[in-house]
Amino acid sequence: MRFHWVRHGPTHAKGMVGWSDLPADLGDTAQVTRLSAHLPAGALVISSDLVRSVATADAICGDRQCLPHDRDLREMSFGDWELKTSAEITETHPELSRAFWTDPGETRPPAGESWTELTARTSAAVARLMQAHPGRDIVAVAHIGVILAQVAVATGQPAREVIGQKIDNLSVTELSWDGTGWRLGRINHLP
């Protein structure tokens, strides 16, 4: 079973974008077309329920079957840091913001969610998909935090070792389940 994790189109926001429902810029139609053509024809397509992921999934779905959007594939909840820039966050929470990036496991923004909570939430969605659609290719349109959380699960690395991995908008990260464990394919592939 293969998961093709697609990061949604860009929002052009300058702050931390978690659960804010910002639209995606899908104006690069050539890139969207290449992305859609790269993905397996018989795959099932699912996305986060946030509009930037929904619109991206709609744009690449083509003739593939689309599954209902899944709230558990949302980006991390940044709580009080939502839509704030790194400078603003560092000014109001210098120690907590440093810990969030250097020791991200249990550290959470005020009224937000930790990497551990994000990983548990998104892993539950993956488990449901695997149970409901065994052996199928899944195209999951989601967010950078979701994709990095699943890379961490697949590789067994702690969050602090994967959070620096680049995941571009409209890129594909491939993870395969062989029945006993995950295999990491291409990361951040831009077709």
Side-chain angles (χ1 to χ4, degrees):
M1 181 168 199
R2 292 183 304 167
F3 278 76
H4 306 266
W5 290 97
V6 173
R7 185 173 177 204
H8 60 76
T11 65
H12 305 298
K14 302 298 181 204
M16 304 275 279
V17 181
W19 289 14
S20 292
D21 215 6
L22 302 182
D25 175 357
L26 298 172
D28 187 346
T29 56
Q31 176 64 30
V32 172
T33 300
R34 284 192 306 273
L35 173 59
S36 181
H38 168 78
L39 298 166
L44 301 172
V45 178
I46 190 168
S47 75
S48 148
D49 67 340
L50 295 173
V51 69
R52 59 192 181 269
S53 291
V54 170
T56 303
D58 289 347
I60 64 171
C61 193
D63 292 334
R64 298 172 188 92
Q65 179 184 350
C66 291
L67 301 174
H69 312 302
D70 192 333
R71 182 180 175 90
D72 285 342
L73 294 178
R74 281 184 173 197
E75 180 61 280
M76 175 184 289
S77 169
F78 293 115
D80 294 347
W81 293 354
E82 185 72 14
L83 300 179
K84 294 194 179 348
T85 65
S86 292
E88 291 170 320
I89 294 166
T90 299
E91 185 178 317
T92 58
H93 299 95
E95 291 177 23
L96 184 59
S97 65
R98 187 172 28 263
F100 181 76
W101 296 110
T102 61
D103 189 23
E106 298 300 326
T107 306
R108 76 170 52 85
E113 163 177 61
S114 71
W115 284 95
T116 301
E117 292 164 329
L118 169 71
T119 301
R121 173 171 52 80
T122 58
S123 293
V126 167
R128 286 192 308 274
L129 286 165
M130 291 174 70
Q131 183 176 14
H133 309 285
R136 295 293 304 268
D137 280 333
I138 305 286
V139 173
V141 181
H143 312 270
I144 188 170
V146 173
I147 297 167
L148 290 176
Q150 292 309 301
V151 168
V153 168
T155 61
Q157 295 177 302
R160 70 179 170 277
E161 293 186 25
V162 298
I163 61 172
Q165 171 66 50
K166 187 173 184 171
I167 304 290
D168 288 310
N169 293 106
L170 302 175
S171 69
V172 182
T173 296
E174 300 166 356
L175 301 176
S176 299
W177 177 256
D178 66 9
T180 60
W182 289 103
R183 284 184 304 121
L184 185 61
R186 290 186 281 192
I187 298 176
N188 195 41
H189 174 65
L190 286 166

